[in-house]
Amino acid sequence: MKKFISVALLCCFVAFAWSQKAVYPLPIEGSAPKGNAVHYALPQTGLEVTVTVTKVREIKGYYTEYAQTLLGLTNVISENRTFYKVKNVKIDPVKVPNPDKTFLVLLDNNQQKIVCDLAEEPTTWLPESVGKYSTKSKPIPNFFKNYSDPSYTEMEDLFTETKIIDGIVTQVPANRTKLVNVTNSQKAQQAADAISKSRQDQYNLVKGDQETPYSADALNLMLKELKQWEENYLSLFTGLVLEDEITYKFMVYPSDLETPLFSFNQDGGLQYGYNINKSDKCYTLSLSPTIGLDYSGSDVPTGKAAGYRYCTPAPMNATLVLKEAGVPDAHIYDFGTLNMYQFGRIQVMPLHQDVDLHKIGFIY
């Protein structure tokens, strides 16, 4: 029932239009006019920016220094380090109220009901920025994290001992085992041997030397396990590269054709808003007006009272690109064309013409 009443009021509102007395640009100099009034704001184009940054972690392997001598590998991680890189930038235009372009409409006394109805549903103003959040994270593999290399090994010591058996002196073979400390090079050799053994087992499976005939599914499963075993030991030499994705989402309201968007540093990552560091690599949004469009100026009446004239927006159509500051023609992302209301013209309707304010702005 309440919903039906709201729809009926809205239809009544459109039918009677806005038989107001006057429209005043805000702020009004001197005392504000008294009576039933409605405020409205012209739109501006806000930009919802989403930047995806990749955080790269390089972790040195336990046996990196033996990678070339034992496996012939040279492209390995030699030291632990963390760095960042920009993966993607996305821009979504959002039509929002412009707090610098607001007006007061003075209504007739018989429109009090419309004022009360509108006051119950105020306009949402500028969206707040959303903080950064991590979207993807790759943990250290359990084999690498929990790997415990053998520090000791058992060594068998063979010797002979003299025993008297049935009154006869006899030399009897004997042995004993003892724990021997293993050097780092020996540990690396054991890991390299495990890689060679895994590769040989994979070759034998594919060659088909085994006596038992395996099904295709069983064969693929064994090959997969052996390949993973090989990669596990190989990471002890080559190291690991782990990538985490961090997504930043924030709002930008351009007031100039060049708008600082964010700064970026490989070691520290991304900074935006008030935290932009100008000593880092900076990126800006650049607007280029469509050719032949006069986007400057306004024919809004001046003076204390604007009279019976509505102000309406005529947006500027412009192309939007992301550029690296200080680098000529360094276009990184091209976002196409969009309507930028805050750079367009502000026009007025003919005198004494009524309009639906919902179609030209935001009522509050």
Side-chain angles (χ1 to χ4, degrees), residues 202-273:
Q202 293 176 62
Y203 173 76
N204 291 335
L205 280 174
V206 175
K207 187 179 178 182
D209 288 342
Q210 65 276 3
E211 297 180 0
T212 304
Y214 297 113
S215 66
D217 291 340
L219 185 62
N220 288 333
L221 179 61
M222 287 187 289
L223 287 173
K224 181 180 179 181
E225 292 292 333
L226 287 171
K227 186 63 178 178
Q228 184 62 56
W229 192 252
E230 175 190 348
E231 291 178 359
N232 287 341
Y233 275 100
L234 196 60
S235 67
L236 302 178
F237 294 90
T238 61
L240 294 175
V241 178
L242 304 177
E243 294 187 352
D244 300 337
E245 283 190 2
I246 304 174
T247 299
Y248 299 80
K249 182 177 279 189
F250 53 94
M251 292 295 299
V252 173
Y253 303 97
S255 58
D256 200 349
L257 297 183
E258 296 284 339
T259 303
L261 192 61
F262 61 85
S263 60
F264 188 80
N265 183 293
Q266 274 198 348
D267 297 326
L270 181 142
Q271 298 289 338
Y272 65 93

Side-chain angles (χ1 to χ4, degrees), residues 3-213:
K3 184 177 181 181
F4 175 77
I5 293 174
S6 299
V7 173
L9 286 174
L10 180 59
C11 293
C12 179
F13 159 72
V14 175
F16 285 102
W18 295 86
S19 55
Q20 81 296 326
K21 297 178 181 178
V23 177
Y24 298 86
L26 296 176
I28 298 175
E29 297 179 3
S31 59
K34 296 181 180 181
N36 298 329
V38 170
H39 297 77
Y40 78 95
L42 295 184
Q44 67 170 325
T45 304
L47 303 176
E48 185 180 72
V49 183
T50 304
V51 185
T52 303
V53 174
T54 303
K55 176 183 178 182
V56 183
R57 290 178 291 160
E58 293 184 347
I59 303 175
K60 179 184 176 182
Y62 299 112
Y63 308 133
T64 297
E65 58 269 29
Y66 302 101
Q68 184 172 8
T69 56
L70 295 180
L71 300 175
L73 300 175
T74 57
N75 186 22
V76 298
I77 298 171
S78 58
E79 60 181 8
N80 295 332
R81 68 169 183 151
T82 299
F83 62 93
Y84 300 82
K85 56 184 180 181
V86 177
K87 181 179 180 180
N88 186 48
V89 181
K90 180 184 176 184
I91 300 289
D92 292 312
V94 181
K95 191 176 177 181
V96 295
N98 188 340
D100 297 325
K101 298 292 186 297
T102 57
F103 303 88
L104 179 146
V105 181
L106 194 61
L107 304 173
D108 287 338
N109 293 330
N110 59 4
Q111 293 180 304
Q112 179 65 39
K113 185 180 294 186
I114 295 175
V115 177
C116 296
D117 187 50
L118 291 173
E120 292 179 0
E121 300 179 1
T123 295
T124 300
W125 282 80
L126 305 185
E128 296 182 359
S129 295
V130 179
K132 67 178 181 180
Y133 57 93
S134 179
T135 57
K136 293 182 181 179
S137 182
K138 187 176 181 179
I140 298 176
N142 289 331
F143 179 87
F144 192 92
K145 181 174 62 175
N146 302 323
Y147 178 76
S148 178
D149 51 7
S151 298
Y152 298 91
T153 187
E154 289 185 350
M155 179 172 289
E156 190 174 42
D157 187 12
L158 300 177
F159 61 97
T160 59
E161 59 182 10
T162 304
K163 290 185 178 181
I164 300 176
I165 302 176
D166 297 332
I168 302 174
V169 178
T170 306
Q171 297 292 326
V172 179
N175 61 48
R176 61 188 174 192
T177 59
K178 60 181 178 179
L179 292 178
V180 179
N181 188 42
V182 180
T183 64
N184 204 46
S185 61
Q186 290 174 321
K187 299 174 189 177
Q189 184 63 61
Q190 291 174 359
D193 291 341
I195 294 173
S196 298
K197 181 66 166 58
S198 176
R199 291 174 176 173
Q200 184 63 45
D201 290 343
Q202 293 176 62
Y203 173 76
N204 291 335
L205 280 174
V206 175
K207 187 179 178 182
D209 288 342
Q210 65 276 3
E211 297 180 0
T212 304

Side-chain angles (χ1 to χ4, degrees), residues 305-325:
Y308 190 175
R309 306 184 74 187
Y310 284 109
C311 294
T312 61
M316 177 187 80
N317 188 262
T319 59
L320 179 65
V321 297
L322 179 65
K323 300 170 59 176
E324 183 179 341

